[in-house]
Amino acid sequence: MTAVDGALRIGPHVLPSRVFLAPMAGVTDRPFRMLCRRFGAGLVASEMISADTRLWDTPKSQRRRDHDGEPSPRVVQIAGYDPAMMADAARRNVDAGAEIIDINMGCPAKKVCNRLAGSALLQDEALVARILETVVGAVTVPVTLKTRTGWDPGHKNGVRIARLAEAAGVQALAIHGRTRADMYTGAAEHDTVRAIKESVKIPVFANGDIDTPQRARAVLAATGCDGIMIGRAAQGRPWIFDEVNYFLATNELRADLPLEKVRDIMRAHLEDLYAFYGDATGVRVARKHLIWYCQQRSGTDSLRRNFLRLETAREQMAALTQLRRSDAIEGAV
Ligand SMILES: Cc1cc2nc3c(=O)[nH]c(=O)nc-3n(C[C@H](O)[C@H](O)[C@H](O)COP(=O)(O)O)c2cc1C
């Protein structure tokens, strides 16, 4: 809830900023979440994990549930279709240290939707209500919901979903301004997000295509939302949270980060990835982050190609020196 002092709260948690990192499977692992928190993200959620606890024994699932050393509040996102399974998954995550349970009804991915989970659930409002009520009743920590504006452009039932979520005791909503049928195409629309915000008293966060400080401010103004979530624009630019926070506070744009600083961020990020995943997987995960960092700068085509073929942590670290000053002068794209 937004308190009288203006601070944004979810349950007992006072959030340091109203600009959050959107959960992204394969991206928002613990090293990336901690990096974004350091740059001022007010809240970061884990990559979605299945509510089916039988799937939790794989190394991938175990890593997704690893929140060691993360600052509070630790948010775990679960996805599923069965109320009892979802409740059990929520309970077990809280026992393991989750301080907020986020329910994913926003993911359009086929393997989730085939089982009527993620955003496919929006077709069945009674089931949505049962899931939310059961999960809220199963845990003592706040439960939040991340969803889309509706099932398809002809069925934007986001307002009804928001109301039933509030009635079920959900404490905050994040709304991606697309329907499930939109997948990631077209521009996110924020009129429905505004209607959702106006229909409930719990905090609502707008999400979708927010990629600059100016856009962040425009979406906050257009939707009246309490906060915003940034996903893809944080890839290769985790400092976007600082840029947006600064702009919202001062109405001024931060200067571009100096090249040395960017390199330090990349180096520390790589070290965290190798430590978290081990060298072999760490190199693979690092590769995509390196490409994203390069995409922020012009003149990095050959470096990008180089990163694609490097096989070891040592080679990746050494290649960071090839990120040259001339790139910085050409500036970010
Ligand atoms: C690679 C990728 C993985 C994602 N995984 C999740 C997820 O695990 N849970 C979720 O709720 N949304 C997931 N999303 C959706 C994002 O959280 C977000 O809603 C979407 O990307 C729109 O925001 P953006 O335009 O700021 O990226 C994912 C998106 C991407 C691109």
Side-chain angles (χ1 to χ4, degrees), residues 72-198:
S72 189
R74 288 182 294 276
V75 187
V76 171
Q77 188 187 62
I78 56 174
Y81 55 93
D82 177 77
M85 272 166 74
M86 297 279 280
D88 184 41
R91 227 180 277 118
R92 288 177 57 168
N93 276 298
V94 172
D95 289 347
E99 295 168 296
I100 294 176
I101 295 292
D102 186 47
I103 296 181
N104 178 344
M105 290 188 194
C107 179
K110 270 219 173 76
K111 72 176 174 197
V112 180
C113 283
N114 282 347
R115 304 177 68 168
L116 209 68
S119 53
L121 281 172
L122 300 179
Q123 293 169 94
D124 188 342
E125 292 176 16
L127 179 57
V128 169
R130 269 206 316 283
I131 289 175
L132 298 178
E133 282 159 13
T134 313
V135 175
V136 168
V139 291
T140 49
V141 304
V143 174
T144 58
L145 172 67
K146 178 160 179 290
T147 186
R148 291 184 170 226
T149 51
W151 167 244
D152 67 29
H155 300 89
K156 289 195 182 173
N157 57 347
V159 166
R160 280 202 306 278
I161 296 284
R163 287 196 176 128
L164 64 84
E166 182 172 48
V170 164
Q171 299 205 25
L173 299 171
I175 312 288
H176 179 185
R178 290 187 172 87
T179 68
R180 193 233 158 196
D182 298 330
M183 301 294 278
Y184 287 93
T185 59
E189 62 90 7
H190 296 291
D191 290 350
T192 313
V193 181
R194 181 173 193 93
I196 291 171
K197 164 64 194 163
E198 286 171 352

Side-chain angles (χ1 to χ4, degrees), residues 21-28 46-49 64 77 102-108 146-148 175-178 184 188 207-211 229-235 292:
L21 173 66
M24 288 180 285
V27 183
T28 56
S46 69
E47 307 165 82
M48 160 181 86
I49 53 170
R64 282 193 178 189
Q77 188 187 62
D102 186 47
I103 296 181
N104 178 344
M105 290 188 194
C107 179
K146 178 160 179 290
T147 186
R148 291 184 170 226
I175 312 288
H176 179 185
R178 290 187 172 87
Y184 287 93
N207 167 240
D209 298 348
I210 300 170
D211 54 3
M229 251 184 196
I230 297 179
R232 288 163 297 176
Q235 295 171 349
W292 287 326

